[in-house]
Amino acid sequence: MTQIRVLSAREISQVFTVTDALEAVEDAYRQKAEGEATAWPMVYEQFEPGVADMDIRSGELAGSGLFGLKLTAWFSGNPSRGLPEVFGTTLLCDDATGAPLALLNAGAITGLRTGAAAALGVKWLAVVCQQVVDT
């Protein structure tokens, strides 16, 4: 039987740094560009339009030996219940066996991933602009 590591947002925020996010996102983009990664079609469902919905984004990072999904649920009434409006959960699996490896609270990861993606966009735009200036 396999072991699944379950990590809370607090645990993730203690070990996952901005540098980790930058390296992971850049590696994922590299894998996608080199055909080693696939993003599968998103699943989206509105439970109540404008009030509650969910989406599932999934894919494979073959170069890392992983596939997985992130489920995001938005419920606009949650703050009145003392809960966050958005919950995110990530499941990572081994792409050779299908074994689940980790279940993660995606909240702590999402903010760093979003920032890393923006920073890398600026970095590579600057590289391209410098190449244009140099020619």
Side-chain angles (χ1 to χ4, degrees):
M1 179 159 212
T2 63
Q3 295 267 328
I4 301 173
R5 181 166 292 178
V6 178
L7 296 175
S8 68
R10 184 183 62 75
E11 291 168 322
I12 292 166
S13 67
Q14 291 174 342
V15 298
F16 189 63
T17 67
V18 171
T19 301
D20 294 331
L22 286 164
E23 290 172 1
V25 171
E26 191 157 36
D27 183 57
Y29 286 173
R30 180 198 56 74
Q31 286 186 50
K32 180 74 169 116
E34 294 176 0
E36 297 177 347
T38 304
W40 300 319
M42 182 179 74
V43 173
Y44 174 76
E45 183 63 37
Q46 292 188 77
F47 300 115
E48 187 177 345
V51 177
D53 63 36
M54 57 78 63
D55 66 68
I56 301 170
R57 297 169 191 259
S58 58
E60 179 183 24
L61 291 173
S64 298
L66 298 169
F67 73 90
L69 62 89
K70 177 182 172 186
L71 182 143
T72 303
W74 170 71
F75 284 72
S76 65
N78 275 357
S80 67
R81 297 178 182 104
L83 298 169
E85 259 186 84
V86 178
F87 284 101
T89 305
T90 298
L91 174 65
L92 296 176
C93 301
D94 183 300
D95 76 349
T97 66
L101 302 171
L103 185 64
L104 312 169
N105 181 313
I109 298 167
T110 299
L112 287 174
R113 190 224 59 91
T114 301
L120 290 168
V122 169
K123 170 188 170 179
W124 288 105
L125 178 60
V127 168
V128 170
C129 289
Q130 188 61 52
Q131 290 172 346
V132 169
V133 168
D134 290 345
T135 57

